[in-house]
Amino acid sequence: MALFSNDEINSIRANADIVNVISSYIPLTQKGRNYLGVCPFHDDHSPSMSVSSDKQIYKCFACGATGNVFTFVQDYENVSFAEAVSIVAAKCGMEVSFDPTKNVAVDNYAKEHKIMELSQKFFANNLKTSFGKEAVKYLNERGLSEDIIKEFGIGLSLDTNDSLLQLLTKKGYKTDELEEIGIVNNSNGTYYDMFTKRITFPLWDKDGNIIGFSARVYRGEKNVSKYMNSRENKIFHKGDTLYNYHNAKEAAKREKEIIVVEGFMDAIRMSSVGIKNVVALCGTAMTKDQISLLKKLRCKVVLCLDNDNAGLIATVSNGDELVKENVETYVVRLTGEKDPDEYILANGAEAFIENIKKPLTYFDFKMDYFKHNRDLNKVEDLSQYVNDVLKTLSTVDDSILREVTLNKISKEYNLSLDVLKNRLEKFEPVVLREKEEKKEVVKTKKDSYMIGSERILYFMMNDEKYIDEYQTKLGFFNEPMYREIANEIVYYYETNKEITVADFITYVSSKDSIKGKVMEIVNESINDDLTMEAMDEYINAVLKVSHKNEIKRLKELMKKELDQDKKMKIALQIMELKKEDV
């Protein structure tokens, strides 16, 4: 059941002036009918975001961000749609009852998430039985308290190989459904549990839905993998997720930083000592999707990866990618123990926290990294080191940092400052990601049919009279995407008896098949003047192209037709279409 009805959502949206809400986050300046501000969704240096008080929507001309008051708050605060509605309601003085554990949006994988939830509850309950005593003892000896076990949903898969299978099939789930999401395996038609004899750790998506498990042996078994993970499936893609992200995002906002570690045990250990703003890669390489999740937090990122060569290399490669995405990046390199889990166990929480309080900027870390395995007393090693530093420095916009670094190298190694400056100028600066993003929003040229169709749809989103005009004079789009959007607009209006573009954006927020196209249409049409004359011109343009295509189709049909009477009928159809275009 949805947390808010459509009427409640529209009422909140109608009472919340988008200019007032957005200006509570970023400064806005009025320019004509609209308001301009620096876009918070990319590295903007001049006002690129336009906010329309009339239409109650916003658009960034640089990165293409578009939406209404709810989508702005959702993206800015990095919260669910339901939370965004609640925040907007509070800002305009409306009281709503909100349970953050519920999700107002449509869950396209509700059944799969329910299976995972039931599996986790089964595993967690096993720890509380006599079968779980050995596992609980193991966890306690590792310093994991009952509260931490509960917080992270840690459980136990039993020694029998079909206990979970039996539970889930009794609840009506089919074996092929369970196999598809990796809860059971199939060997020649015999189904059995994926996880047995292991301590289980649930894996969540960004919204807190369980999407898989990682399971660890605990009896000292030999000749088996220490960890076994869910295989990737339609709800679990390792590269899309960061362990503990759903828990860490609120703490990250408070602390204004997010700490990234390698393993989920590192995240659990850190959380157990009060460090809640931590996520785990569950590996070493950071994907674009994971970087996107981190960027949404709009805070600095602290890399604290394993204290081995693989962790060092991963710190460099991940740090480089974060910097390319204009993410403020810092590094903590531990000494002695392999990872944060072992470090805290060996040295205590206070010692670890002291390390976290003194991170290196990524640039300073990179300067130290370039010294790794080099003897700077040797001319060749020193030359390579200086060239690596200058190459990195060429990508830095900060003129003061450039000057300080050049002076430091000059004094430390007795090198000519002019030589260093000349050498720096020879390196090609890396194109900033912001500029790449701006290129990405440049759309391919659209033909008159596409332009006309999209403008008609935009007009329809704004006023019922344009819906009437569409139904009277056009009534149908040949292109499936346009047809689906038009049908949704008509359905929305007939259901609610009114329509605004801001409310329609809310309506399509859970309709993945058309949401992106609707946002694109709004983005490209936001500055259009809405007049019936313009609407009719767009309809005529679409009809002209439609007629042209239909005439072409009929001519091809007539060529193949042998029956003279049928040929005559086709010819008359062509004549009628040509008359309509006169």
Side-chain angles (χ1 to χ4, degrees):
M1 181 179 174
L3 180 60
F4 303 112
S5 70
N6 194 59
D7 287 343
E8 287 175 313
I9 292 172
N10 288 348
S11 175
I12 293 167
R13 210 273 321 145
N15 280 279
D17 179 57
I18 194 170
V19 174
N20 291 338
V21 173
I22 292 182
S23 63
S24 71
Y25 293 99
I26 60 172
L28 294 177
T29 304
Q30 187 168 8
K31 188 172 182 181
R33 290 188 302 172
N34 297 332
Y35 293 77
L36 294 179
V38 173
C39 177
F41 303 124
H42 74 285
D43 189 18
D44 197 11
H45 298 289
S46 60
S48 299
M49 177 172 282
S50 174
V51 184
S52 170
S53 179
D54 295 338
K55 298 173 184 175
Q56 290 292 298
I57 54 178
Y58 65 89
K59 168 189 175 176
C60 176
F61 295 98
C63 72
T66 306
N68 62 10
V69 67
F70 297 135
T71 55
F72 181 90
V73 172
Q74 187 176 6
D75 291 340
Y76 190 95
E77 297 268 15
N78 190 33
V79 295
S80 68
F81 178 76
E83 290 172 298
V85 172
S86 181
I87 291 168
V88 172
K91 285 181 178 291
C92 61
M94 298 178 71
E95 290 187 8
V96 293
S97 114
F98 171 62
D99 179 355
T101 63
K102 296 179 181 177
N103 191 348
V104 72
V106 174
D107 185 352
N108 294 321
Y109 299 108
K111 180 185 282 189
E112 290 80 3
H113 291 151
K114 185 63 178 178
I115 292 171
M116 290 298 185
E117 181 186 343
L118 288 170
S119 301
Q120 189 275 325
K121 287 180 178 178
F122 174 74
F123 292 145
N125 187 65
N126 290 340
L127 275 185
K128 300 173 185 177
T129 69
S130 58
F131 300 111
K133 288 182 179 179
E134 189 179 356
V136 170
K137 181 183 177 184
Y138 172 86
L139 291 168
N140 291 160
E141 287 174 351
R142 289 289 305 270
L144 298 180
S145 67
E146 185 178 341
D147 288 342
I148 288 296
I149 291 171
K150 184 177 179 181
E151 179 182 346
F152 286 91
I154 300 171
L156 175 68
S157 59
L158 300 178
D159 291 0
T160 55
N161 68 358
D162 64 350
S163 52
L164 179 58
L165 172 64
Q166 288 188 38
L167 171 73
L168 294 173
T169 52
K170 283 178 182 177
K171 289 188 176 292
Y173 295 107
K174 297 176 181 177
T175 50
D176 57 343
E177 293 174 333
L178 304 179
E179 181 187 9
E180 187 178 12
I181 59 171
I183 283 295
V184 304
N185 285 331
N186 177 11
S187 176
N188 298 320
T190 300
Y191 291 90
Y192 57 94
D193 291 350
M194 171 77 174
F195 303 107
T196 58
K197 306 178 185 178
R198 291 173 180 266
I199 291 173
T200 59
F201 301 83
L203 308 174
W204 299 270
D205 65 15
K206 63 183 177 62
D207 298 316
N209 298 303
I210 298 173
I211 52 176
F213 294 90
S214 184
R216 191 194 197 285
V217 296
Y218 64 99
R219 293 167 174 160
E221 294 93 335
K222 305 295 183 184
N223 301 320
V224 294
S225 299
K226 183 187 292 186
Y227 284 98
M228 177 184 287
N229 299 317
S230 290
R231 57 179 175 269
E232 293 203 349
N233 55 70
K234 61 184 176 182
I235 63 170
F236 174 53
H237 303 280
K238 186 177 177 181
D240 295 350
T241 60
L242 288 166
Y243 181 81
N244 198 47
Y245 183 87
H246 68 297
N247 283 326
K249 56 188 180 184
E250 290 304 319
K253 289 176 190 175
R254 290 194 303 271
E255 302 295 332
K256 294 183 171 52
E257 73 175 26
I258 185 75
I259 303 166
V260 178
V261 295
E262 281 189 35
F264 63 81
M265 275 306 303
D266 298 323
I268 292 172
R269 181 71 59 200
M270 290 169 64
S271 186
S272 74
V273 297
I275 304 169
K276 303 295 184 181
N277 55 323
V278 57
V279 296
L281 295 172
C282 295
T284 55
M286 194 178 288
T287 67
K288 289 183 178 179
D289 289 322
Q290 289 171 329
I291 292 174
S292 178
L293 286 174
L294 294 173
K295 286 182 71 175
K296 285 183 178 181
L297 298 174
R298 279 182 285 280
C299 64
K300 69 181 183 183
V301 173
V302 179
L303 297 174
C304 185
L305 306 185
D306 286 4
N307 180 30
D308 55 17
N309 193 55
L312 180 64
I313 293 170
T315 300
V316 174
S317 60
N318 293 332
D320 284 349
E321 291 304 311
L322 287 166
V323 169
K324 284 180 186 176
E325 292 288 343
N326 297 313
V327 176
E328 186 182 0
T329 307
Y330 292 78
V331 174
V332 169
R333 295 295 295 160
L334 301 173
T335 56
E337 280 63 43
K338 179 190 173 187
D339 54 35
D341 178 28
E342 293 183 6
Y343 189 95
I344 291 170
L345 288 174
N347 302 286
E350 288 186 13
F352 181 79
I353 290 170
E354 282 304 308
N355 279 279
I356 293 297
K357 286 180 178 178
K358 300 173 183 176
L360 291 172
T361 66
Y362 184 68
F363 183 82
D364 286 340
F365 159 76
K366 199 81 178 285
M367 298 306 101
D368 286 342
Y369 171 74
F370 288 141
K371 295 177 182 178
H372 189 62
N373 291 333
R374 281 175 175 163
D375 182 354
L376 298 188
N377 291 313
K378 294 181 179 178
V379 172
E380 186 176 350
D381 281 4
L382 178 59
S383 175
Q384 289 175 346
Y385 165 72
V386 172
N387 275 300
D388 283 343
V389 171
L390 294 176
K391 187 175 182 180
T392 298
L393 201 59
S394 71
T395 69
V396 175
D397 277 341
D398 190 332
S399 58
I400 295 176
L401 179 59
R402 284 179 172 227
E403 190 73 17
V404 169
T405 305
L406 289 174
N407 278 297
K408 183 179 179 182
I409 294 174
S410 174
K411 291 177 181 178
E412 193 169 343
Y413 300 105
N414 196 27
L415 297 171
S416 165
L417 188 59
D418 288 337
V419 170
L420 293 173
K421 287 182 177 179
N422 289 334
R423 180 63 178 157
L424 178 62
E425 289 175 2
K426 291 181 180 179
F427 284 105
E428 284 287 331
V430 174
V431 177
L432 295 180
R433 184 57 53 105
E434 178 195 348
K435 293 178 182 177
E436 292 174 359
E437 287 178 350
K438 288 183 180 182
K439 288 179 182 178
E440 288 172 5
V441 302
V442 176
K443 302 292 188 294
T444 54
K445 188 175 181 180
K446 296 182 178 181
D447 59 31
S448 59
Y449 178 82
M450 295 170 69
I451 294 170
S453 299
E454 293 181 7
R455 294 302 190 275
I456 290 168
L457 291 169
Y458 178 71
F459 278 44
M460 291 168 66
M461 294 176 206
N462 279 274
D463 198 304
E464 63 190 81
K465 65 185 179 184
Y466 300 118
I467 298 175
D468 291 338
E469 192 76 353
Y470 160 78
Q471 291 178 312
T472 302
K473 296 187 175 180
L474 188 61
F476 183 83
F477 285 109
N478 291 321
E479 204 281 322
M481 175 67 77
Y482 298 150
R483 186 162 65 247
E484 184 178 355
I485 295 172
N487 290 341
E488 290 291 356
I489 293 171
V490 172
Y491 173 80
Y492 180 89
Y493 170 67
E494 289 178 349
T495 302
N496 296 279
K497 308 305 178 189
E498 61 182 354
I499 191 168
T500 68
V501 64
D503 287 336
F504 188 71
I505 286 172
T506 302
Y507 171 71
V508 300
S509 64
S510 62
K511 298 183 180 297
D512 293 340
S513 62
I514 62 171
K515 179 174 65 175
K517 191 64 181 179
V518 168
M519 291 303 194
E520 180 187 320
I521 290 170
V522 173
N523 183 289
E524 294 180 358
S525 311
I526 192 172
N527 292 324
D528 279 22
D529 289 327
L530 303 175
T531 66
M532 193 59 74
E533 182 182 2
M535 176 71 170
D536 287 338
E537 285 179 4
Y538 290 131
I539 289 175
N540 289 335
V542 169
L543 283 173
K544 188 173 183 180
V545 175
S546 297
H547 289 167
K548 182 180 178 181
N549 292 336
E550 180 62 8
I551 289 169
K552 183 178 178 181
R553 187 188 72 83
L554 289 172
K555 284 181 176 179
E556 290 296 320
L557 188 64
M558 193 163 64
K559 285 180 184 177
K560 298 174 183 177
E561 185 56 63
L562 300 176
D563 189 299
Q564 291 301 315
D565 289 339
K566 289 182 179 179
K567 271 193 173 187
M568 182 62 68
K569 287 180 181 179
I570 294 172
L572 290 172
Q573 284 180 268
I574 293 172
M575 289 175 62
E576 286 299 319
L577 288 171
K578 287 182 176 179
K579 282 181 185 178
E580 289 179 21
D581 286 337
V582 174

